[in-house]
Every structure is written in C-alpha cells, then in structure tokens.
Amino acid sequence: PRVMEIHAFRLTPGQDLKKSLLSYAKGAKLEAGCVVTCVGSLSKVSLRLANADGKRGSNETVSLEERFEIVSLAGTVSRHGCHLHMSLSDYQGNVVGGHVLDGCVVYTTAEMVLGECVGHVFTRERDDETGFHELVVTTKLAVAPPPRRRNGSGGSEASVASAKAFATTRTEAGEATAERRSGRDALSKPSEDGEDGDAAGRRDGKRRGFFGWLGSVVAPDPPANYATDVG
C-alpha cells in the first residue's frame, strides 16, 4: 500500500505563504502533510527568531520588506494547523531564517510540493512545558480490504461460494420433487390384479392424507391376534 501521496501546486504573486498553505490543506482535507520542497521568492518577510519563549509570551520577531529568494522551507502541515521554518537570502547572499509567521508575501512564485503521510493525522495541542501548540500524531484505523476477486471468475470468493450453495440447493430440491412425483405415480398406477393404487393402499392397511391419518387415530387397525369371531 502507498504510504505517501504527493500534492504539487504554485502560489502566485501577492499570496501569503502560510495562509495559502493552510487554505490548501483545509480544501484538500490534508490530515498529515510535510513540505517536500519549495522554491520561489518573497517581497515581504515575517519570522519569529530562535530565542522566543512561549511560557513568558515573549516572541522576538523580524519583519522585512525587500526581495528574498526562498533557500529552503521545511515543516509539517495539515488542515488542523502547521509548523514551518524557512531560510531566505537577500540580494547580497545574506541568509536569514526562522519560524514562518503570517505576512510572508510571494513576490514572483512559490512552487510547493507537499507529501501526505497516509494513515496518520497531525493535530496541535498546547504543551504546558513549552507554552506553544505542539504536534500530536495519531494513526487512522485500518480499513478492511474489499473481497478478493478470482482470476477469470468475475466475482469474489464469497459470491462464488454463494452461487455454488444456491446451485446445490436447487439440485437437492429438484431431486426431492422427482421423488415425490415418483411416489404419486406409484400410488395411482393400477396393480396387476386391476386394483388402482388407492385400493391397493387400502387393502394393505395404509391410509393416505389427513383423513387417512384421522381414521387411524380414531379407529386404528385391530391387532393381528384380535379375535373377530365370537361363539
């Protein structure tokens, strides 16, 4: 099974980098994504630097308005939130980097490639130890695969077995019907001495049908040693 799906798209001039990534993740219902690569340029930059302290609420940030090339972009992203770090170079090759905030505006383009980790979900919850909303990783429940199809059968193993059972039931029912018909024919067929089947049945002491059964209950046949002659 595939463990990663690829999402590729381009951000155009004037779009906010972080807001656009989150918007795409929500629209694509992206549960667990990571930045594979990104190349492009920015005209405005807003970054949080490394000495930020979430507990005290102090965030040292830098906001610049000039042209930068995106040297690298890394992080996790899902429809539940994102965490991005970026490195940028100015026109002299000086590099600045940090945590991506809202306000990083695309200058010419931002070519995005995201990988989706199939089977995982990335959410974010506040961590009291750091003071920030940190990543929480969970896995989705496995979905049972559909029934396998046999080569050339055109159906699943379950459907083939069901068809066989149905065919067997029909065969057995047909044989039982044939036996009943054979029994009826034997009863109605005249015997060698000219008696019909019903007369022969009565002669042998056999009763057929409901009334025959009722008669056997109300007036059963006498026992063989029962004396019929008196005196």
Side-chain angles (χ1 to χ4, degrees), residues 39-212:
V39 292
S41 60
L42 301 176
S43 59
K44 293 181 181 180
V45 173
S46 184
L47 301 174
R48 188 180 69 210
L49 302 181
N51 62 346
D53 191 332
K55 290 183 178 179
R56 295 193 302 238
S58 60
N59 289 327
E60 186 171 342
T61 63
V62 57
S63 296
L64 303 171
E65 189 170 348
E66 57 181 283
R67 297 174 185 177
F68 290 92
E69 290 288 330
I70 298 175
V71 176
S72 67
L73 177 65
T76 55
V77 57
S78 77
R79 65 187 183 92
H80 307 287
C82 68
H83 185 186
L84 304 169
H85 287 182
M86 181 168 54
S87 295
L88 304 164
S89 64
D90 63 13
Y91 73 101
Q92 292 181 330
N94 299 315
V95 176
V96 62
H99 178 93
V100 177
L101 301 173
D102 293 344
C104 295
V105 180
V106 174
Y107 175 51
T108 57
T109 189
E111 300 167 6
M112 298 295 314
V113 179
L114 303 179
E116 180 180 3
C117 303
V118 178
H120 292 75
V121 178
F122 293 169
T123 56
R124 310 201 75 82
E125 295 180 3
R126 179 178 172 80
D127 188 324
D128 292 335
E129 185 175 353
T130 66
F132 293 107
H133 285 77
E134 304 292 359
L135 178 67
V136 177
V137 180
T138 56
T139 56
K140 298 179 181 178
L141 294 177
V143 179
R148 292 182 298 172
R149 302 175 72 88
R150 288 184 174 181
N151 293 334
S153 67
S156 66
E157 293 179 358
S159 62
V160 171
S162 177
K164 287 184 178 180
F166 179 71
T168 302
T169 303
R170 290 193 61 185
T171 302
E172 292 174 352
E175 292 174 354
T177 301
E179 290 177 1
R180 289 196 298 271
R181 289 177 178 174
S182 176
R184 287 198 303 268
D185 293 340
L187 290 173
S188 60
K189 182 178 179 180
S191 62
E192 294 181 356
D193 56 3
E195 290 181 322
D196 59 18
D198 290 339
R202 288 191 297 273
R203 180 195 64 189
D204 295 336
K206 297 179 181 178
R207 296 180 174 86
R208 299 171 59 252
F210 172 77
F211 292 104

